[in-house]
């Protein structure tokens, strides 16, 4: 075995382990000091080689947002609000949410932006969330709210995060309860608006939707003024939440 390689990688190096577990791949990625994008590529390569792997089966994550829910988002403008599915994919949002979060990098790239993937694997998330550990706990708790690894789609995402985020995800997956806060305050170091304190409310949509709506409001006068500037509005456009 190569000097310095994790013991669990011995079978992989000797050609005995053709289908390494996510934990083994994570250890290998740590040893090679792979970047998050490289870890995800490693995961996809190994799964493509495994003929038994499939991300299908069971009810697929719902990516269709009902017209009524979209109408609610329209009515909420310019309040930052977003609709997520059980994979934490961003399905729809207000223009206010886009103006708030696009500068952080969350909405970069093609396809469905994923809040959990951004928080746990993108280095920019640690810069924009001063309470990153708490935020990481939140996104993992949301993933664990349902059957977690018994859900094939969640299991596939969990495997990816095990490799891409390593111990930051594995420890939380083992210890964080699958209980998410329905309300609270998030601190955000915004690239353009500075330090923000945002009160949030999580509204679970119908069981058939399998989605949740998260609405953000400024938690103090300073955040209210900063959001108004971000929106290009006169002060008082978004009402600060007292308390």
């Amino acid at each position: 075995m190569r000097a310095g390689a994790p013991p669990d990688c011995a079978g992989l190096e000797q050609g005995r382990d053709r289908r390494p577990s996510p934990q083994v791949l994570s250890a290998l990625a740590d040893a090679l000091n792979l970047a998050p994008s490289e870890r995800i590529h490693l995961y996809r390569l190994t799964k493509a080689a495994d003929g038994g792997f499939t991300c299908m089966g069971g009810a697929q994550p719902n990516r269709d947002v009902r017209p009524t829910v979209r109408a609610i988002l329209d009515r909420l403008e310019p309040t930052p609000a977003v609709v997520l599915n059980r994979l934490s994919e961003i399905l729809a949002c207000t223009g206010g949410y886009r103006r708030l979060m696009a500068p952080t990098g969350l909405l970069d790239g093609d396809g469905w932006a994923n809040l959990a993937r951004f928080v746990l694997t993108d280095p920019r998330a640690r810069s924009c969330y001063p309470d990153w550990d708490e935020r990481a706990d939140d996104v993992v708790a949301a993933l664990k709210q349902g059957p977690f690894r018994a859900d094939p789609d969640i299991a596939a995402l969990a495997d990816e995060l095990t490799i891409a985020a390593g111990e930051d995800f594995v420890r939380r997956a083992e210890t964080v309860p699958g209980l998410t806060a329905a309300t609270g305050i998030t601190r955000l170091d915004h690239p353009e608006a500075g330090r923000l304190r945002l009160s949030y409310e999580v509204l679970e949509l119908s069981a058939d939707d399998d989605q949740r709506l998260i609405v953000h409001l400024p938690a103090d006068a300073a955040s209210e003024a900063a959001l108004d500037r971000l929106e290009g509005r006169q002060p008082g456009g978004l009402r600060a939440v007292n308390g």
Side-chain angles (χ1 to χ4, degrees), residues 34-45:
L34 298 185
S37 59
E38 295 169 327
R39 289 166 176 259
I40 292 170
H41 183 60
L42 174 64
Y43 162 78
R44 288 172 177 163
L45 286 176

Side-chain angles (χ1 to χ4, degrees), residues 53-241:
F53 174 77
T54 177
C55 62
M56 307 298 288
Q60 297 298 294
N62 185 10
R63 296 186 173 100
D64 295 323
V65 179
R66 288 185 290 112
T68 304
V69 177
R70 290 188 179 275
I72 291 172
L73 290 176
D74 290 340
R75 293 284 185 175
L76 287 172
E77 291 285 9
T79 302
V82 61
V83 176
L84 306 175
N85 65 8
R86 70 176 186 265
L87 292 178
S88 80
E89 292 173 330
I90 294 175
L91 306 179
C93 65
T94 59
Y97 185 85
R98 184 170 295 279
R99 286 185 288 274
L100 174 67
M101 297 307 298
T104 70
L106 170 60
L107 305 179
D108 286 357
D110 300 323
W112 304 101
N114 188 293
L115 181 61
R117 186 180 289 120
F118 173 73
V119 170
L120 290 164
T121 70
D122 195 315
R124 292 173 293 183
R126 293 179 184 264
S127 298
C128 68
Y129 290 114
D131 305 310
W132 182 86
D133 283 305
E134 181 179 312
R135 196 74 187 96
D137 287 348
D138 290 342
V139 297
V140 173
L143 292 177
K144 294 180 65 177
Q145 250 187 314
F148 195 40
R149 287 188 179 274
D151 179 328
D153 297 288
I154 294 288
L157 176 61
D159 283 353
E160 177 185 324
L161 293 174
T162 296
I163 298 162
E167 184 63 20
D168 284 332
F169 173 74
V170 172
R171 175 175 54 80
R172 289 179 168 86
E174 293 174 349
T175 61
V176 171
L179 299 171
T180 57
T183 185
I185 292 180
T186 296
R187 295 197 305 162
L188 187 68
D189 283 337
H190 195 272
E192 299 173 7
R195 174 64 60 87
L196 299 172
R197 294 178 66 249
L198 303 174
S199 295
Y200 66 86
E201 294 285 338
V202 181
L203 308 174
E204 298 290 342
L205 301 180
S206 76
D208 289 339
D209 289 330
D210 193 21
Q211 297 166 359
R212 64 191 190 276
L213 170 64
I214 305 177
V215 182
H216 300 82
L217 286 170
D220 53 42
S223 298
E224 177 185 4
L227 281 181
D228 284 339
R229 289 194 298 271
L230 195 62
E231 291 289 334
R233 296 168 62 93
Q234 292 297 319
L238 289 176
R239 186 76 55 85
V241 176

